[in-house]
């Protein structure tokens, strides 16, 4: 006689049908609430390297006029006493002194951090990177817009840390998330102390992104970046590619630079 393993059969095997129903409900709830680490990576973008942990140099070009952006950068990047990006098991950020000017030109294999009075263009901060179409990041920069941060509304320590932390996270290959109490949340927490540093989920995502090694590295200057239109930073963000913020504004842009390289821009908008 053919065996029947329907709901009644299973419930008899487990001894209590109500227990079976409860177990199934709890299991479905837990499965739906688990967020895979890879869910909040920035597509496939990452720095190519041959071993972990790797060191990425961040050149501090902050002018520190009005805001001590250098201290904020150190706090979110590599401060031994803070919950920062260097707490990741797969990477270290080495912040070095830059030119202390508003210059924000890319340097191959490095990240440039800068600030300036960029005008009432709508954004608080941006993260831009150049990457090969296959996903390897070549160079990156973060920019803080003092036009807004010098105003009463945005001259706030938590807001400044939130934006700087988020833009650095993007340069590492992270996308946005929501509701996980960390600086990569683009819809909550701008003025909240709980959203000014990376979250445990961000570290898990970095471990997933850099869970492999590459046969080559993009952490050094590359001879193939000699073309001026590749090395010059570009304030034309290009084409919006989705991911709107809470007000429907695009937060991600792409632009083809030729030579198999794209410029990608993440934007934190002002209210």
């Amino acid at each position: 006689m053919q065996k029947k393993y329907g709901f009644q059969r299973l419930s008899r095997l487990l001894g209590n049908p109500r227990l079976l129903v409860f177990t199934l409900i709890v299991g479905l709830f837990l499965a739906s609430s688990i967020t895979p680490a890879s869910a909040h990576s920035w597509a496939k973008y990452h720095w190519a390297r041959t071993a972990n942990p790797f060191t990425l140099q961040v050149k501090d070009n902050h002018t520190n006029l009005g805001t001590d952006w250098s201290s904020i950068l150190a706090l979110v990047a590599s401060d031994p006493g803070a919950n920062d990006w260097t707490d990741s098991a797969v990477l270290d950020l080495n912040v070095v002194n830059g030119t202390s000017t508003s210059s924000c030109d890319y340097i191959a294999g490095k990240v440039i951090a800068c600030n300036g009075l960029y005008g009432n263009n709508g954004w608080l901060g941006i993260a831009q990177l150049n990457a090969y179409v296959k996903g390897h990041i070549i160079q990156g920069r973060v920019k803080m817009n003092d036009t807004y941060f010098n105003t009463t509304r945005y001259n706030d320590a938590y807001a400044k840390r939130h934006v700087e932390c988020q833009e650095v996270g993007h340069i590492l290959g992270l996308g946005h998330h929501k509701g996980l109490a960390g600086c990569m949340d683009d819809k909550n927490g701008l003025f909240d102390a709980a959203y000014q540093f990376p979250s445990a989920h961000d570290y898990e995502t970095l471990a997933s992104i850099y869970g492999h090694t590459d046969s080559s590295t993009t952490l050094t200057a590359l001879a193939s970046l000699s073309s001026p239109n590749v090395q010059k930073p570009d304030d034309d963000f290009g084409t919006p590619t989705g991911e709107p913020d809470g007000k429907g504004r695009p937060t991600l842009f792409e632009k083809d630079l030729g030579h198999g390289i794209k410029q990608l821009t993440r934007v934190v908008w002002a209210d």
Side-chain angles (χ1 to χ4, degrees):
M1 182 174 65
Q2 185 179 10
K3 295 182 180 180
K4 297 180 180 180
Y5 288 99
F7 179 82
Q8 292 181 345
R9 176 75 177 177
L10 271 174
S11 66
R12 287 199 299 271
L13 288 173
L14 290 177
N16 188 333
R18 292 182 179 177
L19 178 61
L20 172 62
V21 173
F22 177 78
T23 302
L24 290 172
I25 292 174
V26 171
L28 290 171
F29 172 79
L30 290 175
S32 64
S33 64
I34 296 173
T35 303
S38 60
H40 298 129
S41 60
W42 186 351
K44 56 191 174 182
Y45 299 110
H46 66 282
W47 294 86
R49 71 274 172 267
T50 57
N52 288 333
F54 67 96
T55 298
L56 176 62
Q57 187 178 102
V58 181
K59 191 173 181 181
D60 179 9
N61 274 19
H62 286 311
T63 62
N64 299 323
L65 297 177
T67 295
D68 187 357
W69 285 109
S70 292
S71 294
I72 295 173
L73 176 63
L75 190 66
V76 302
S78 59
D79 190 311
N83 181 26
D84 55 51
W85 289 118
T86 294
D87 285 347
S88 166
V90 295
L91 62 88
D92 294 304
L93 296 183
N94 178 27
V95 179
V96 299
N97 292 331
T99 61
S100 294
T101 70
S102 58
S103 172
C104 215
D105 288 355
Y106 291 117
I107 299 179
K110 295 177 174 58
V111 178
I112 307 299
C114 47
N115 65 285
L117 296 169
Y118 299 121
N120 293 297
N121 47 32
W123 55 262
L124 296 174
I126 61 172
Q128 288 186 307
L129 57 84
N130 289 171
Y132 292 117
V133 292
K134 292 185 177 180
H136 287 162
I137 300 171
I138 302 166
Q139 52 199 8
R141 65 174 181 168
V142 301
K143 299 177 69 174
M144 304 293 111
N145 190 352
D146 286 327
T147 301
Y148 293 97
F149 284 114
N150 286 347
T151 66
T152 301
R153 174 164 177 75
Y154 294 106
N155 188 15
D156 179 89
Y158 295 153
K160 293 173 182 178
R161 292 173 193 165
H162 176 93
V163 176
E164 182 104 64
C165 177
Q166 184 176 129
E167 305 304 16
V168 172
H170 286 320
I171 297 298
L172 301 179
L174 291 170
H176 292 137
H177 59 65
K178 181 180 179 182
L180 296 175
C183 68
M184 300 312 295
D185 189 327
D186 69 326
K187 295 181 174 64
N188 301 291
L190 182 62
F191 302 101
D192 190 328
Y195 291 79
Q196 60 180 313
F197 294 112
S199 68
H201 178 74
D202 296 325
Y203 297 132
E204 293 170 0
T205 305
L206 286 173
S208 175
I209 293 171
Y210 293 101
H212 71 286
T213 54
D214 300 290
S215 59
S216 59
T217 180
T218 53
L219 298 172
T220 56
L222 305 174
S224 60
L225 293 182
S226 58
S227 174
N229 70 318
V230 174
Q231 287 219 26
K232 284 288 257 187
D234 194 340
D235 289 318
D236 175 8
F237 296 164
T239 304
T241 58
E243 296 198 38
D245 66 4
K247 295 186 176 181
R249 298 170 296 189
T251 61
L252 176 60
F253 299 80
E254 292 187 12
K255 185 176 183 180
D256 184 5
L257 298 179
H259 311 279
I261 297 172
K262 294 191 293 185
Q263 176 172 271
L264 299 108
T265 303
R266 291 271 191 180
V267 180
V268 176
W269 296 106
D271 291 341

